[in-house]
Amino acid sequence: MQIVVAATGAYAFAHVVLGHPAPLLAATVTVSSLGLVRDARPRRVLETVIGMLIGILVAEVLLLVVGAGWWQLGLALAMTLVVARFLSDQASFAIAAGIQSIIVMVIPANAPMLRLVDGLIGGAAALIVTALIPRNPRRVELRDARAVFAAFDGAIGTIVQGLRRGDRMRTARGLEKARALHGVIEDWRTSLESGQAIVKIAPLLRRHRFELQRHRRVLDALDLASRNLRVVARRAAYLADDGQARPVAADILAEIGRGAARIGDGLDDIAVEPEARAALTAVAAHLDPEELLPGASFGDHNLIAAMRPLTVDLLTAAGTPPHDARASVPRI
């Protein structure tokens, strides 16, 4: 809807109101700047618009100076790419500029700089619909968030199975899954930041601002928790070399995983967060390695100790103040 409304409106304004005979760039700039992409932040749209306008401007100036032709096309494209790369390190910025430069050099115009005006109209239309017909900032963001929690649950579940069986291969697989969390977390971060940028300028979506801020708190804490989960996974994989089952550590980690899953359930319903806090606080109170595993090896104690910062980060994700989250684990 965004793309259709913006492109049609930009073309109609340039053609009907301003009388431009064929305002091609009014439509193409709009479509290219909006795009069907995950990151729909107004800043990204603006950067793309600027890149295309630079391409149009460079080509229009060269048309006035050296005219049209095959070597002029090459010169315009080369100059556009150099200028664009100087202004931005984003490859998409330079490509957008280059494409518009080619269009200007290949398709004749009735008057100089007419297509620059069309490009400005298309860019303005793209920014206007970003604010007035915004994309739903929560749909993609929630989908990415659920993917993160599903991957987090899968990693913990695999490590728990490896600890119960004393299976080195399974704990190593859990470590691989924990490492893979980085990618899905970054996807969530991109869609969440895009949503937060949209609600700042879209009057119809202001009501989502608090919810997205809460999700940002969950994301930041879960990012830290995923790093601590990798520490737990590495220690579990190291200990599993002896082939011994570790049911106590497996049970504790499973309880932590259930608490994390409740945080994920709370993304849609904030009323679930107290349940997640209660579950994780109950686990945290028992995270004393000597109490859980009296007389066990230093490595087993280290495994339990590694679960302490993991639990603290998850408590923070569930809405517990950081100081209270740290105080929830016993001093050792």
Side-chain angles (χ1 to χ4, degrees), residues 2-71:
Q2 270 191 332
I3 292 173
V4 171
V5 171
T8 305
Y11 182 92
F13 181 83
H15 183 61
V16 177
V17 178
L18 300 183
H20 295 185
L24 171 66
L25 293 183
T28 60
V29 167
T30 305
V31 174
S32 299
S33 58
L34 289 172
L36 296 173
V37 295
R38 175 189 299 274
D39 187 1
R41 281 176 286 187
R43 178 179 176 180
R44 187 205 62 81
V45 175
L46 179 60
E47 287 176 350
T48 307
V49 169
I50 291 172
M52 290 185 286
L53 292 178
I54 288 172
I56 296 170
L57 179 61
V58 170
E60 288 279 20
V61 170
L62 284 176
L63 271 178
L64 293 175
V65 175
V66 298
W70 64 268
W71 67 268

Side-chain angles (χ1 to χ4, degrees), residues 47-320:
E47 287 176 350
T48 307
V49 169
I50 291 172
M52 290 185 286
L53 292 178
I54 288 172
I56 296 170
L57 179 61
V58 170
E60 288 279 20
V61 170
L62 284 176
L63 271 178
L64 293 175
V65 175
V66 298
W70 64 268
W71 67 268
Q72 290 92 335
L73 171 64
L75 177 62
L77 183 58
M79 290 186 64
T80 300
L81 292 175
V82 169
V83 172
R85 293 298 283 172
F86 175 77
L87 295 175
S88 173
D89 59 357
Q90 296 293 324
S92 58
F93 184 90
I95 294 301
I99 291 173
Q100 302 306 314
S101 178
I102 290 173
I103 292 174
V104 171
M105 295 300 294
V106 171
I107 300 176
N110 295 329
M113 298 298 173
L114 195 65
R115 286 166 298 194
L116 182 60
V117 176
D118 290 340
L120 288 168
I121 293 170
L127 292 170
I128 289 170
V129 299
T130 300
L132 299 183
I133 312 177
R135 302 179 190 183
N136 187 334
R138 296 189 68 230
R139 184 173 59 235
V140 176
E141 181 263 331
L142 274 175
R143 185 183 65 205
D144 290 340
R146 292 190 184 104
V148 169
F149 278 95
F152 197 90
D153 184 67
I156 285 185
T158 303
I159 299 167
V160 167
Q161 291 176 8
L163 289 170
R164 290 196 195 283
R165 302 175 187 178
D167 187 338
R168 175 70 171 79
M169 294 295 292
R170 193 162 293 274
T171 52
R173 177 59 181 154
L175 176 57
E176 291 177 7
K177 289 184 176 182
R179 286 171 173 162
L181 285 170
H182 177 73
V184 289
I185 286 175
E186 288 307 305
D187 287 343
W188 184 16
R189 189 184 306 281
T190 298
S191 58
L192 180 56
E193 289 177 350
S194 177
Q196 287 183 306
I198 290 171
V199 299
K200 287 180 180 179
I201 68 167
L204 297 177
L205 298 176
R206 293 292 176 88
R207 65 187 185 278
H208 296 309
R209 181 176 295 183
F210 171 76
E211 194 71 4
L212 292 176
Q213 287 174 347
R214 184 172 70 88
H215 289 187
R216 182 56 184 261
R217 179 251 295 165
V218 176
L219 168 62
D220 290 340
L222 198 71
D223 187 12
L224 296 175
S226 70
R227 301 180 192 192
N228 283 314
L229 181 60
R230 290 196 288 270
V231 175
V232 172
R234 281 194 294 270
R235 293 185 180 179
Y238 173 78
L239 290 174
D241 276 337
D242 61 10
Q244 297 297 315
R246 289 175 169 80
V248 174
D251 289 343
I252 291 293
L253 187 57
E255 288 295 327
I256 294 172
R258 281 188 278 273
R262 294 305 285 163
I263 297 173
D265 296 337
L267 290 172
D268 286 318
D269 183 6
I270 194 173
V272 179
E273 276 196 350
E275 299 177 23
R277 288 196 292 269
L280 289 165
T281 300
V283 177
H286 298 290
L287 286 178
D288 185 332
E290 189 61 46
E291 177 187 323
L292 287 172
L293 300 171
S297 68
F298 180 73
D300 285 298
H301 282 183
N302 263 347
L303 177 60
I304 300 298
M307 298 181 192
R308 290 162 59 90
L310 169 62
T311 307
V312 169
D313 289 334
L314 290 174
L315 276 168
T316 305
T320 304

